[in-house]
Structures are given as structure tokens and as C-alpha cells.
Amino acid sequence: MFEINISPEWQDAIHKRSSVRKYTGNPTDEQLSRLGVLCKKLTWQGITVRMFRGPGLKSVIKGTNVYAVIVAKNGTPPEMEGYMGEALVLEATAMGLGTCWLGAGFNADIVNKNVNLQNDEQIHCVIAIGQASLPAFNPKRRSIQQLCKKSEDEVKNLGPWQLTAVENARLAPSAINQQPWKIEVDTNSISILERTVLIPKYAGIDRGICMLHAAVGAASKRHTGVWKKQEDGYMMKA
Ligand SMILES: Cc1cc2nc3c(=O)[nH]c(=O)nc-3n(C[C@H](O)[C@H](O)[C@H](O)COP(=O)(O)O)c2cc1C
């Protein structure tokens, strides 16, 4: 599970991305076909990712009517939805496009019909995608010390792959910016674990997004590993 080809370009994309709600147009046909190729690669193990152009987004999104839909077969861990969806977000960001995850900002009746949703499938989120100049990068997030429950000195002493993985994980987008994760990191592993939040509805998807960010950070320092389920999250030995 969670095995995908991580593009080296996603490391930079993580340090550029922020949610965009006002766009200046749809992606070009060329951009759409490139994203379509990635959607096919992200479609496996209970997840289907598909691009659509047309109605489906609510008025919170202006200036584009293009979006990706993440369809999950019942029983698929929500972390997979986040992992695969964020891969598309980072690829789109690397292509210079704006994106926004939407849990509430889409019209479920229209989207369910578009994908011909089956009884054993669910859609929790879509991702708006369009032309936009990204705003200055200024994410509001908890500090690495808070996330990892480590002192400043302990954080400084983390190895290079661990530090990049944690820095990336910190920058992950989450529903209402709740950042519903705590991170454990040691010499050979990183774990993205549950943290109690007020509205846990999207916490599993948020965790998957955070896991991909951590994996991109580790991969940027030539460390790769396999995510293993823990009682309260996932651990990757790298
Ligand atoms: C699973 C998920 C669902 C989200 N749903 C919405 C939404 O319905 N409407 C919206 O405007 N933003 C939505 N967002 C965007 C978050 O509000 C945003 O990622 C967060 O505030 C952090 O800001 P940033 O993405 O600009 O770094 C969602 C994000 C995630 C990860």
C-alpha cells in the first residue's frame, strides 16, 4: 500500500503550495492530459482518481470548473485517499497550477452522478485545479517542536532525512487547518499518528496527505520505506 513513484519535483512543490480558491482559468488541454496520465497511475488498491470539467464545484471556488474526484471503495483506508490525492496536488503545483482540496465545497449529487458512483464506493473529497498565481508562501502551522514533542536542540539533532520529512509533514494541508497529527521520529523511522481534534471527519485523509509529504521529504534525501499500520496511525522505516 502507498507505493507510488515520488517525483523529485514534489519536494519544491511542497514549499510553494497553498490552497487557491480564485483562479484565472482552467488548466490547458496539455496540462489536463498530463494530469490524466498521473490519475491512471494513482488509481489502484481501492482508489480511483478521475478528472472532470463542468459543474460540480460550489461557489467557494471561482474561475475554474476543473476538478479531480477521489473515489474510494468501501473499506479502503482514508489515508489512501489523502496520499493519492496529494500526489495529484503536488504534481499540479509543480506544473504551476493552483489547487484546493474540498470536503464541503462540492455538490455531491452532481459529482456522484458524473462518476456513476456505485453502492460500494464513496467520495469524501474533490480537488479543484486551475490557473492561478500562487500567493506568497506563508503557511500557518504548529511548530516542529509541538508536532514532535521535542526540544529545539532535539530537533536540531535530527538526521537530514528525518528533518526534511518532518518539515514537509508540518506543511501538509488539512481540513480547516486542524493538523490532526502527531509525529514520532527516531534514527530509522517516522510515524504519523492520531491527535484528538474537534472535527475528526477528515482526519484519516489529512493523515494520508501528511504521510505523502513525509515520504517526499525522506525520498529527497534518498531514503525510502514502506508504510506499516500502527494502532493509531502509520510508521515508515526508511
Ligand atoms: C481533506 C480536506 C478538506 C478540505 N475542505 C475544504 C473545503 O471544503 N473548503 C475549503 O475552502 N477548503 C478546504 N480545504 C482546504 C483547507 O482549508 C486548507 O488546506 C487549510 O486551511 C490549510 O491552508 P493551505 O492549504 O493554504 O496551506 C480542505 C483541505 C483538506 C486537506
Side-chain angles (χ1 to χ4, degrees), residues 17-19 21 60 101-105 125 141 173-175 177 206 209:
R17 188 216 60 82
S18 54
S19 295
R21 296 176 181 86
V60 63
W101 277 91
L102 296 168
C125 284
R141 299 290 191 272
S174 57
N177 204 21
D206 292 336
I209 296 173

Side-chain angles (χ1 to χ4, degrees), residues 203-214:
I205 295 177
D206 292 336
R207 190 159 42 251
I209 296 173
C210 188
M211 287 162 58
L212 180 67
H213 277 221

Side-chain angles (χ1 to χ4, degrees), residues 78-103:
E79 287 84 355
M80 288 280 285
E81 297 173 55
Y83 209 82
M84 300 306 171
E86 186 68 1
L88 192 71
V89 163
L90 295 180
E91 181 74 5
T93 308
M95 288 164 61
L97 293 164
T99 59
C100 189
W101 277 91
L102 296 168

Side-chain angles (χ1 to χ4, degrees), residues 66-118:
V66 168
Y67 56 95
V69 182
I70 301 154
V71 184
K73 275 244 186 295
N74 290 347
T76 307
E79 287 84 355
M80 288 280 285
E81 297 173 55
Y83 209 82
M84 300 306 171
E86 186 68 1
L88 192 71
V89 163
L90 295 180
E91 181 74 5
T93 308
M95 288 164 61
L97 293 164
T99 59
C100 189
W101 277 91
L102 296 168
F106 70 97
N107 186 325
D109 287 344
I110 296 176
V111 171
N112 293 356
K113 212 168 155 194
N114 278 350
V115 302
N116 189 21
L117 195 72
Q118 304 298 299

Side-chain angles (χ1 to χ4, degrees), residues 22 46 70 84 115 126-128 132 147 150 160 164 168 187 209 230:
K22 287 199 177 79
I70 301 154
M84 300 306 171
V115 302
V126 310
I127 297 165
L147 285 172
K150 283 191 187 295
T164 312
N168 279 7
T187 47
I209 296 173
Q230 308 291 295

Side-chain angles (χ1 to χ4, degrees), residues 126-200:
V126 310
I127 297 165
I129 305 177
Q131 307 290 347
S133 27
L134 291 179
F137 185 64
N138 184 23
K140 294 182 180 51
R141 299 290 191 272
R142 294 158 69 222
S143 68
I144 294 186
Q145 286 85 342
Q146 284 173 317
L147 285 172
C148 300
K149 299 260 183 307
K150 283 191 187 295
S151 69
E152 217 165 293
D153 277 349
E154 285 171 324
V155 170
K156 269 192 205 139
N157 288 332
L158 286 173
W161 80 259
Q162 291 90 337
L163 192 57
T164 312
V166 171
E167 277 169 350
N168 279 7
R170 172 179 174 267
L171 296 173
S174 57
I176 351 175
N177 204 21
Q178 286 192 112
Q179 306 159 67
W181 45 70
K182 67 174 189 243
I183 299 177
E184 281 176 10
V185 61
D186 63 25
T187 47
N188 68 349
S189 74
I190 183 164
S191 303
I192 311 293
L193 307 172
E194 276 177 35
R195 179 174 77 89
T196 309
V197 286
L198 214 55
I199 306 166

Side-chain angles (χ1 to χ4, degrees), residues 214-232:
V216 169
S220 77
K221 302 288 179 196
R222 299 182 192 287
H223 280 259
T224 51
V226 175
W227 289 102
K228 292 258 163 63
K229 181 88 184 86
Q230 308 291 295
E231 202 181 315
D232 54 350

